[in-house]
Amino acid sequence: MPKKMTPFFGYLPDQFVKHAPKAYTSHDFPTRSFPINISDIPIGTKALALTLIDYDAVPVAGFPWIHWIATDIDATNYIPENISILNTGIVQGKNSSVSKYIDFHDPAIEACYLGPKPPADHDLTVYALKEKTGLKPGFYLNDLMCQIKERTIEKATLEIPSRG
C-alpha cells in the first residue's frame, strides 16, 4: 500500500490540533481535517478508507479515542485539507464524541474529524480497497472493520508523534 503517507513533516500543524484557531473548532475540538499525501497506491484500488486513532487515550478516556474514520474516498494520491467539513467525496463514521462517557454531545460533530487535543501519538491508517463499502454516514468503527475485511488490498499506518 502506500509506501509513504505524509500529513506533514512528522507533526500536525497547530490548525489541526489543540492550538487551532476558534474558527476551526467546535466544543474546543479542532474540526478542520489535515491534508494527506499518499504514494504507491496498489493497482486495482477503487476506494480508500482511513482511521485516525489515539491509543494513548486509554488511561484518560478508558478507551482508544477515535478522532476520524472515513471510507469510500475515490482512489487518489491526495486527500485535501478540510474534506471532513466540506463532506464531499467521503463517507464519515462516528468519532469518540458519541461515547456515553463524554460530557457533551453534538450531532454536528459526531461524524467528522475531531482533532487531537492532548499531546499523544496518533495512528493514521489508510486502507486501499478493491471496491467501495457502501456504508452510510454515521457508521461505527466496527462497521468499517467488517466491511473492509474482504475488500482491503493493502493498508499502511503512519504514527504521527506527539508534540506538547
Side-chain angles (χ1 to χ4, degrees):
M1 167 57 181
K3 297 200 175 29
K4 186 176 184 184
M5 289 189 300
T6 54
F8 287 91
F9 299 102
Y11 301 109
L12 292 176
D14 286 347
Q15 70 261 33
F16 308 113
V17 296
K18 69 180 179 179
H19 303 293
K22 283 284 186 207
Y24 297 170
T25 67
S26 182
H27 298 277
D28 206 29
F29 278 94
T31 55
R32 187 177 191 89
S33 57
F34 55 88
I36 305 168
N37 290 305
I38 306 165
S39 64
D40 300 326
I41 294 176
I43 294 173
T45 300
K46 302 291 186 220
L48 301 173
L50 66 83
T51 61
L52 180 64
I53 300 177
D54 174 3
Y55 293 98
D56 293 337
V58 174
V60 177
F63 52 87
W65 186 273
I66 301 166
H67 286 282
W68 193 20
I69 55 176
T71 191
D72 295 355
I73 305 163
D74 288 335
T76 181
N77 291 94
Y78 182 72
I79 299 173
E81 177 176 336
N82 207 28
I83 193 172
S84 178
I85 296 298
L86 298 174
N87 206 19
T88 55
I90 187 171
V91 179
Q92 298 178 93
K94 295 194 185 287
N95 57 47
S96 288
S97 74
V98 300
S99 170
K100 66 182 180 180
Y101 301 109
I102 303 304
D103 60 359
F104 74 90
H105 294 281
D106 183 350
I109 62 167
E110 68 183 24
C112 66
Y113 173 80
L114 206 57
K117 282 178 53 175
D121 295 342
H122 299 82
D123 289 350
L124 170 65
T125 303
V126 175
Y127 301 83
L129 308 176
K130 59 185 170 185
E131 62 187 19
K132 291 186 175 187
T133 65
L135 287 169
K136 303 295 181 215
F139 62 86
Y140 288 93
L141 180 61
N142 60 317
D143 298 326
L144 179 65
M145 294 296 104
C146 287
Q147 289 298 314
I148 66 173
K149 188 178 281 187
E150 300 299 321
R151 291 177 170 90
T152 300
I153 299 170
E154 289 185 51
K155 71 177 183 176
T157 299
L158 173 67
E159 184 178 291
I160 303 170
S162 66
R163 81 166 171 181

